[in-house]
Amino acid sequence: MPQSSFKDRIHDSRDHLAVIDIGSNSVRLVVFDKMSRNPHILFNEKVLCGLGRMISKTGKMDDEAMAAALATLKRFQLLMKAMRIEAGHIDAVATAAVREASNGAAFIARIKSDTGIRVRVISGKEEAELSALGVLSGIPDADGIIGDLGGGSLELVEIAKGAITEKITLPIGPLRLQGDFNDDQTLISRKIIASLKEVPWLKARRNKNFYIVGGAWRAVSRVNMVQKKTPLPILHAFSLEGADAQDLAKLIAQQEPQSLAKINSVPSRRAAVMPCAALILYHILDHMRPNKVITSSLGLREGLVYQRLPQSLKAEDPFIAAARDMAEIGGRFKEHGDRLMRWIDPLFESKTDRPELKRLRYGTCLLSDISWRGHPDYRAERAIMEALYGRFVGIDHKDRGFVGLALGRIYGASDGMPLASLCRSMLGEEDIRQALILGEALRLGHRISGGTSNLLKRVSLKRFSDRLVLDVEPDAHEIVNEVVARRFQNLAQIMNLRPEIAGLSDDAYGATSDLPIQA
């Protein structure tokens, strides 16, 4: 791929893909830059129209809601036209409200005549499958039950080893339940419990993880973050123990919407359905007793993109794909990250090395040059912030802390830097040590190479039981100066090894360090 290809694809409208999701509560447009393992969102807009709020009482979508949705879709059509998105790159779907309303077909025809947008009404099972694909696109190792809560329905899907094994749609969305029973939580609870009894495989999957999707449940997770004082306010991959999540869901279900709306992170228009959404979550957790409850920011819309990908792209690691994209935009030398990964490999013992850490090391190598354009005094902060707050999937909060701590060390972050301390707060002692070793090794590699690959080929690292050796080719001794020697010594110290430099004579190296020299 040419150096400029990633930048070009962002501005090439021929590759853009627009997804329109007409749900029971909201109507949303998302424009992706391209069908890839790491699609970038160029535009994202949501309008709460409430198409499903009257269906339980009248069997129809009410005129006010349809007018709001139609006005929104007209705006979306103008935006897509201005963005030069081709008709074949627009995927518009409608879910439970339109699917179940007696005037759904007429509404779809009206959308086509007024906007030209062709909308396909998907079945409950297809909706469940797309939501599951969206979760898998962002959490490839997801294993357990996925719950996607919309305004009118709840989709439940079981996934195991990347495959969908069970799926069902239940009529227990918060808009529907509130329409049927107002705010009577006793009646709502009876309906939820009765519906869950229709899913025999759900209770049999106790101690599995439960992955939650949907705007109302994401709002519940935001409250949980506040309650738990979560160090990193990133929704995707936010995780709670099942029992803790159940207790918090019960607490939120007992709150008034007005109280919830006062929480800064809660969208005011979501507050009205949050107690009911939390009550649904409480009963599911009580029913299946999951190990962990994990929030996914990706769902049906991302599933529509993921579904279109060839198998070769689906198999890619989304975190590595994202890191490679960022390196292509911000790094000086595209191939440098791969070379650095090979260069540092001897530092990590194969027998005790963990696969998940090797993956994070690779991503960190790819990202290691992203702050070189920044102000020298703030490169460390910039690098850490990219790791902590960047739009990555395929990693959780702990992983972000690991990558952030390593990137900060590359750019000389002190232990007392607030962002570095934030990273440490999410990690255990051994992971902190591994991140610092990685950061020091890459800091050394960048100093030796100057950001290129050729010089790294002339210097290698060798790890022994009691010492760490920097092996320099005889005709390349000028590579090692005082700064290189000091950084090598720092690396050996963190690893609790004795540092040695091989391949240099005393005359060549001079008196810049107390390190042992092997001629």
Side-chain angles (χ1 to χ4, degrees), residues 428-461:
E429 193 171 313
E430 179 57 23
D431 284 342
I432 290 174
R433 178 174 171 272
Q434 291 292 324
L436 293 178
I437 290 172
L438 174 60
E440 286 291 352
L442 292 175
R443 183 169 169 80
L444 173 64
H446 276 285
R447 174 56 66 176
I448 289 173
S449 67
T452 69
S453 293
N454 290 334
L455 290 179
L456 280 180
K457 298 175 183 177
R458 310 189 70 182
V459 181
S460 61
L461 291 167

Side-chain angles (χ1 to χ4, degrees), residues 274-300:
M274 279 181 62
C276 186
L279 188 61
I280 297 168
L281 181 60
Y282 168 79
H283 283 296
I284 292 174
L285 301 184
D286 186 56
H287 192 72
M288 65 173 288
R289 303 294 172 90
N291 179 32
K292 291 184 181 295
V293 176
I294 301 168
T295 303
S296 172
S297 293
L298 281 61
L300 181 146

Side-chain angles (χ1 to χ4, degrees), residues 1 203 212 286 349 519:
M1 186 179 285
K203 199 166 188 177
I212 59 174
D286 186 56
E349 298 171 346

Side-chain angles (χ1 to χ4, degrees), residues 168 170 190-203 287:
I168 192 170
L170 300 176
R190 287 176 185 170
K191 176 63 177 177
I192 296 168
I193 292 168
S195 296
L196 293 177
K197 286 180 179 179
E198 297 175 11
V199 192
W201 50 266
L202 184 60
K203 199 166 188 177
H287 192 72

Side-chain angles (χ1 to χ4, degrees), residues 20-182:
I20 297 174
D21 177 6
I22 303 172
S24 298
N25 196 28
S26 65
V27 177
R28 187 189 291 263
L29 167 66
V30 182
V31 179
F32 298 93
D33 66 329
K34 190 178 183 178
M35 286 190 296
S36 71
R37 193 60 184 88
N38 178 48
H40 286 248
I41 294 177
L42 303 180
F43 182 82
N44 186 349
E45 181 172 298
K46 170 193 70 181
V47 178
L48 297 176
C49 300
L51 285 171
R53 65 189 172 205
M54 296 300 293
I55 289 177
S56 61
K57 291 184 177 179
T58 67
K60 300 189 299 182
M61 295 176 287
D62 69 83
D63 292 341
E64 183 181 351
M66 288 191 294
L70 195 58
T72 298
L73 291 167
K74 288 178 179 178
R75 167 175 162 76
F76 288 172
Q77 175 59 20
L78 289 173
L79 288 167
M80 292 187 294
K81 185 176 180 181
M83 295 177 190
R84 300 180 181 177
I85 300 174
E86 300 173 359
H89 286 198
I90 299 172
D91 200 349
V93 298
T95 57
V98 178
R99 184 169 65 233
E100 297 174 13
S102 60
N103 55 351
F107 182 56
I108 294 298
R110 177 78 183 277
I111 293 171
K112 177 64 174 65
S113 65
D114 286 12
T115 69
I117 299 172
R118 295 181 179 274
V119 179
R120 58 192 180 96
V121 182
I122 59 176
S123 69
K125 288 190 175 182
E126 186 178 0
E127 185 178 353
E129 183 173 342
L130 288 169
S131 296
L133 291 176
V135 172
L136 285 170
S137 73
I139 309 176
D141 61 349
D143 187 90
I145 309 297
I146 294 169
D148 185 354
L149 184 67
S153 65
L154 168 67
E155 278 65 52
L156 292 172
V157 186
E158 182 184 28
I159 50 173
K161 297 180 180 180
I164 296 171
T165 56
E166 300 279 2
K167 55 188 174 182
I168 192 170
T169 297
L170 300 176
I172 51 173
L175 277 183
R176 181 194 299 270
L177 292 174
Q178 288 175 324
D180 285 345
F181 307 111
N182 295 315

